[in-house]
Every structure is written in structure tokens, then in C-alpha cells.
Amino acid sequence: MLGFSAVAQKNPAAVKFSETINKQRGYDHLSILASDEYEGRETGKKGAWMAAEYIKKQFQSFGLKGPVKDGADPYFQKIGYASVSLSKSELSVNGQVKQSLKDFYITPATVSAKGFDVKGTSILFAGYGLNKDDFNDYAGQDVAGKIVMIFSSGDPTAKPAPAPAPGARRTAPSSSGSLQVKIKYLLEHNAAGVLVINPTADNLSPQLKNVLTNSNPYLKTAERMKNIAAGTALPTVMIGTEVANQIFAVANTNLDEIKKKINESLKPATMAINIPVAFSAASVENDVRAENVLGFLEGSDPKLKNEVLVVTGHYDHIGLVTNPNATDKVNNGADDDGSGTTGVLMLAEAFSKAKKAGKGPKRSILFMTVCGEEKGLLGSEWYAEHPVFPIANTITNLNIDMIGRGDKDHPDNNFVYIIGSNMLSDDLDRVGKKANADYTNILLDEKYNNRTDPNQFYYRSDHYNFAKFGIPVIFYFNGVHEDYHQPGDEVSKIDFPMLAKRAQLVYFTAWELANGANRPVVNKNDDGTLKTK
Ligand SMILES: [Zn+2]
């Protein structure tokens, strides 16, 4: 029997082709991707499109293939990303036409594809719109078919939560006063529509006006499309104080007076107000350009090449600074996640060179830089739901998100957090750690490597969209620092030798995974318990 040897088992070919993963190459890519010209690479905007084009060109120059079949460009997987704007937004009270974004507003994202057109000759004012045992604005009322008017927020009976006993868990605050809950009641009881008295409407900020003109984009998931098609939203109009007072005047009162009355008596003041009112809206959906960028390296072993290792990093970031007075206007995202994108590019180049020299991996490798991470892991969600290679053949996802800096717990930066590595597969954990011991010798910090850590990092980057389908993952991460999601996340603060060293760790791990005799066995369930045979 062979004794255990502590001497590192280095594969000379793996070492040779790792040489292109170096600090200079890292700087070359990152100084472009994280430059001000790329405007912080916000998904759906110019800077992200420029980044996508840059990455595609690199993949092409390495000789990688674009594997996307159903699009105009084989390197781009378009994600379903769209925003909504209103083609119509109208309100009239007592025959007077009101001005959108001044007297009232309608939120585009709440208007279904069918739009709405509501008319009536009377309004049911229902105060705070509460439906509780001790305070019911709807007692004895049937709201079906009616236009209801309520306050946007508040609950006059809500008591401040008592201080929790020492050691006791704080209970969630009452949600009865939330607008969502109020609208849900009206929807369930078939109201025709609702006028919400909302002080926000009195003085709209430029940012809010933007979103009300054209919504923030969203991912067109199957679930979302079903809801939009069903058109289940309640016709909802936010009205300002002036419109509210015009309506209350018919009942010989005004907003301040009636609110005071309710708050002091702690009794509902529901009443019908006879006044003609009409409101209507129609929406249009606008596709927004956003894509994952894919480069594919086919495996060399005919029996193994249908198995695919996926290496990811998100190329998007949070875009320009919104504060107009800021001196530094660009959130460069050099670390987050220009560093991971750079890492993916360097791995892609190294494996491509190995393949050209006849040392290509046995299994296939998909290098994928995804978009939409900062918007909620959207690009990877889209990929996992529309995989270019079958999920069943996807052996592992190695995800790199922030490998260019460090945190205050590690002054020398010679570390990387690994997260997820043993969550689904002890094999993968072993391979990753052995690669480090054999080649790179970085401190692997597993502080965040659990499902219960308060930071929830296991759920917070793109690997999770693979893990949720049972694909084992390793997430490489340098922790958060003072420039996280700030304009100060700049190229000048990147530790390029460490970026290259961590990228080499991912590379050697990928080398083992793509060439190993067997793919990592998934021996654990989603909750971390061992699978029973
Ligand atoms: Zn990130």
C-alpha cells in the first residue's frame, strides 16, 4: 500500500497553462471593464452593453465558441428583461381633468396588460381602509363594484410594540396598516378601483417621476407573465391633497378635519360621497437589452464531453451614482464584480491555450459572465431556467464574485472565503481543497460557509441559482469592505497579485473537475442532510 505523501502532486500541464493567469493580464482586463467609460455597468444600460461586447470579443479571440442557438448572437443569451410605461394615465373628478404626475399618479408596474377604465358617480370613503375586529372601516359595507377612497398608510389603533423581554425575540410589527394589505382586501372583495390619498403625490421627486414614467425593469419569469396576463391588479390611483379635498368638500369636510376626527374618536368615519369620478390607464411593455455572455470550450474526451463545468462571474454592477452633487460619479465595481469577470476571462484564456496545445480538458467548460446580479441574481436565474446545456449534465458551478481585495480580518489578503463547497457534495469540497493544497496555498476561510450565517452569502450570488437545482457550487469571495457598492470600488485599490492567485485557485480546481475520473457525487440534500441511498 502506498503511504500518504505530503508532497504536492502537481500536474505540469496545469502549471504551464496557469501562467497566463497573472497580475498584468488581470490589470489589462479590469482597467477597461471598471473604467469610468463603462459607467458602472448597470444592467440594461450602455455600460453593461459595452462590457458584454468586450467580453464577447475576448472569448472570440481565445477561440471559444458561442453556444447559444436561439438568438441573433451565439455568444449572447438574451434574458427576458422589460420595463412598463403608461400609454394612458387619466383621472377626472366632477368633470375636471386632473394632471398626471402633478395632481395624481398611477404606478406603471401595477397596471396589467389589459389596462383599466373605471367610472362612477359616487365614492365610498373608508378612512384607513382597515378590516380588523376592533376597527373595521368596512363594517356593514359591501365594496363590490364601488370606487373606494382610503388613506395610503397608518392604523390609528396600532400600539407601539412593547419592549421585548430580555432574550425574547422581537415580534414583527403589525402589517394591517400597509397599503398592500389594504389593497388586497379591496381586490378580494371586488371593488371597482381605489383612490389612495398619498402625500407623496403632492411633491414627486425627480427619481420617482422617472420610475413612474418608465418602471424599473424586471425579469419576465413565467410566474410574472402569468399574473400580468391574468390582469388581477386592482385599478389604483394615488391622489394628492388637493384632489382629496375637492372630493371631501362635497361632504362639507376636508382631509385634515376628517383625519383628526378619526384619530381622536378612534372610530371609523366611512361614508359615501356623491361625485362623478373616472380614471383609466393603459400600459406598454418595453424590452430592455440585457444578456449573459457565454464562451464554450468543448471537452476532448468523447465519453465525457457532454458533462459541463460552469464557471461564472457577474459583469454587471450598480451603475452611475444617483446623487447629482457627488464628485465621483461612477460606481466602478472593480472588485464587485470586475474582478470575478476578469478571473473568468483569464481562466477562459488559459484553458483555450491548453486545448490548442493538445492538453484541453476532458469535460466541457462553459465560461459565463452573467448580467443582472445586482438586480437580484437575474441573469443566473434566467440561465438556470433556460439552460443552454442540460442541468443534469452540469457537474459543478464555480462562481467568482469579488476576488480583488480583502477585508479587515485578513491584513495580508492571502485568503479567500469559500462558500458552498461542502453543502451538496463532499467530493467537490475535497477537490477544491486539494487543488489549493497542491498549487496555491491560500488560506481558505469558511467563516461564511453555512446556511445560517446572518449575512446569508450562500444565497446572495449567482451560484445559488445552480445550487437550488442540486448542482454543487463553490463561491469564491473576498468579503465586504468600506468601498462595497461605493464609487471608491476602483481599479487603483485592487490587489492584482492576489486577484491572480485566487483566479489560479479557481483554475486548478476547474482543471481537476474537468479532468477527474468522476464528476463530484452529490451526496447531500438541499438542507445539507446526507442523502440516503
Ligand atoms: Zn457581486
Side-chain angles (χ1 to χ4, degrees):
M1 194 176 115
L2 285 170
F4 174 75
S5 164
V7 177
Q9 302 291 306
K10 291 192 188 197
N11 176 319
V15 172
K16 177 171 177 218
F17 295 102
S18 73
E19 284 163 13
T20 65
I21 302 174
N22 59 52
K23 62 181 183 182
Q24 184 57 45
R25 206 62 119 243
Y27 179 82
D28 292 345
H29 291 308
L30 193 57
S31 61
I32 293 170
L33 289 166
S35 65
D36 282 359
E37 208 189 332
Y38 282 64
E39 298 184 347
R41 307 185 303 278
E42 183 173 358
T43 301
K45 302 213 167 144
K46 188 183 108 192
W49 304 333
M50 287 168 67
E53 298 291 346
Y54 176 82
I55 296 159
K56 172 186 152 183
K57 276 213 187 80
Q58 296 300 315
F59 283 167
Q60 278 175 320
S61 75
F62 305 151
L64 295 177
K65 294 271 179 308
V68 182
K69 298 221 160 56
D70 55 355
D73 189 319
Y75 292 89
F76 288 166
Q77 180 185 44
K78 297 254 170 225
I79 69 164
Y81 198 50
S83 65
V84 186
S85 55
L86 296 180
S87 50
K88 183 177 170 191
S89 173
E90 292 174 1
L91 168 69
S92 76
V93 178
N94 207 10
Q96 290 176 17
V97 174
K98 301 294 168 190
Q99 202 181 327
S100 178
L101 301 183
K102 183 176 166 288
D103 304 316
F104 76 98
Y105 69 87
I106 295 171
T107 307
T110 65
V111 179
S112 74
K114 291 178 193 161
F116 58 75
D117 193 354
V118 180
K119 278 188 189 68
T121 53
S122 131
I123 293 169
L124 180 71
F125 169 63
Y128 284 92
L130 299 172
N131 164 48
K132 306 198 301 175
D133 288 343
D134 59 341
F135 195 101
N136 188 354
D137 286 301
Y138 298 113
Q141 296 286 344
D142 180 4
V143 301
K146 289 182 184 159
I147 295 167
V148 178
M149 179 167 78
I150 56 174
F151 301 139
S152 61
S153 61
D155 175 350
T157 65
K159 293 170 189 69
R169 257 205 281 164
R170 195 176 272 280
T171 50
S174 155
S175 63
S176 61
S178 92
L179 185 57
Q180 220 182 346
V181 171
K182 297 174 182 188
I183 286 181
K184 188 162 175 270
Y185 175 89
L186 294 173
L187 191 61
E188 284 169 0
H189 292 80
N190 303 311
V194 62
L195 303 176
V196 178
I197 303 167
N198 190 339
T200 308
D202 291 336
N203 197 3
L204 292 171
S205 67
Q207 287 94 328
L208 191 52
K209 269 191 187 165
N210 274 339
V211 178
L212 293 171
T213 306
N214 193 10
S215 78
N216 287 325
Y218 48 83
L219 193 66
K220 294 160 73 169
T221 58
E223 177 71 19
R224 182 164 193 131
M225 290 300 100
K226 215 170 64 199
N227 289 339
I228 288 178
T232 48
L234 183 74
T236 302
V237 180
M238 302 289 176
I239 59 172
T241 307
E242 218 176 288
V243 174
N245 277 332
Q246 186 190 349
I247 295 166
F248 283 126
V250 175
N252 293 315
T253 182
N254 63 53
L255 180 56
D256 288 343
E257 191 180 84
I258 194 114
K259 204 167 207 174
K260 191 164 170 239
K261 186 179 152 195
I262 298 171
N263 291 349
E264 284 175 1
S265 67
L266 290 181
K267 287 205 176 71
T270 302
M271 61 178 160
I273 303 174
N274 292 320
I275 185 168
V277 59
F279 46 97
S280 55
S283 66
V284 245
E285 191 174 68
N286 319 294
D287 278 329
V288 177
R289 176 185 163 186
E291 58 255 319
N292 297 325
V293 189
L294 287 71
F296 182 65
L297 190 76
E298 190 176 50
S300 61
D301 185 325
K303 288 201 283 293
L304 295 177
K305 70 179 185 185
N306 71 329
E307 295 184 353
V308 182
L309 167 69
V310 182
V311 181
T312 52
H314 71 89
Y315 71 89
D316 70 302
H317 191 56
I318 59 173
L320 295 169
V321 176
T322 48
N323 176 1
N325 303 321
T327 45
D328 186 347
K329 306 236 181 277
V330 183
N331 291 296
N332 302 81
D335 192 22
D336 186 10
D337 182 29
S339 64
T341 305
T342 295
V344 174
L345 287 173
M346 291 195 291
L347 262 75
E349 183 179 6
F351 277 105
S352 300
K353 285 199 164 136
K355 184 172 176 177
K356 279 179 198 146
K359 301 282 182 187
K362 292 177 182 167
R363 291 185 180 80
S364 298
I365 305 182
L366 173 64
F367 300 95
M368 176 163 67
T369 60
V370 296
C371 65
E373 196 272 353
E374 303 287 6
K375 306 283 187 188
L377 316 185
L378 304 184
S380 52
E381 179 180 351
W382 189 265
Y383 179 86
E385 285 181 10
H386 307 85
V388 174
F389 300 97
I391 291 291
N393 297 353
T394 303
I395 63 160
T396 289
N397 169 228
L398 301 178
N399 180 44
I400 319 173
D401 190 354
M402 298 169 67
I403 54 163
R405 289 180 62 169
D407 63 8
K408 59 178 177 348
D409 295 345
H410 305 84
D412 69 349
N413 284 356
N414 188 28
F415 81 103
V416 70
Y417 292 111
I418 53 166
I419 299 167
S421 128
N422 63 351
M423 296 251 201
L424 297 173
S425 168
D426 287 322
D427 269 354
L428 176 61
D429 189 53
R430 222 164 11 244
V431 170
K433 285 173 183 163
K434 185 170 185 303
N436 184 50
D438 287 351
Y439 296 99
T440 41
N441 282 303
I442 300 172
L443 170 72
L444 301 181
D445 192 328
E446 297 191 67
K447 177 175 156 188
Y448 300 123
N449 184 29
N450 62 73
R451 291 177 176 81
T452 51
D453 181 83
N455 295 291
Q456 297 282 291
F457 287 130
Y458 180 55
Y459 304 95
R460 279 178 53 187
S461 186
D462 296 298
H463 56 277
Y464 185 66
N465 281 320
F466 291 88
K468 74 182 185 190
F469 286 111
I471 297 168
V473 303
I474 307 177
F475 166 28
Y476 299 89
F477 174 54
N478 59 219
V480 292
H481 43 72
E482 70 279 8
D483 292 317
Y484 176 74
H485 284 199
Q486 298 297 325
D489 183 0
E490 310 239 17
V491 175
S492 61
K493 299 191 183 157
I494 295 294
D495 179 342
F496 282 100
M498 263 330 286
L499 192 166
K501 201 168 173 188
R502 290 165 180 152
Q504 287 204 350
L505 166 62
V506 185
Y507 162 85
F508 287 115
T509 305
W511 185 285
E512 293 301 321
L513 291 167
N515 288 299
N518 298 296
R519 62 188 279 180
V521 172
V522 177
N523 66 320
K524 292 177 182 175
N525 297 307
D526 192 39
D527 61 1
T529 54
L530 284 175
K531 279 186 193 281
T532 48
K533 274 244 174 114

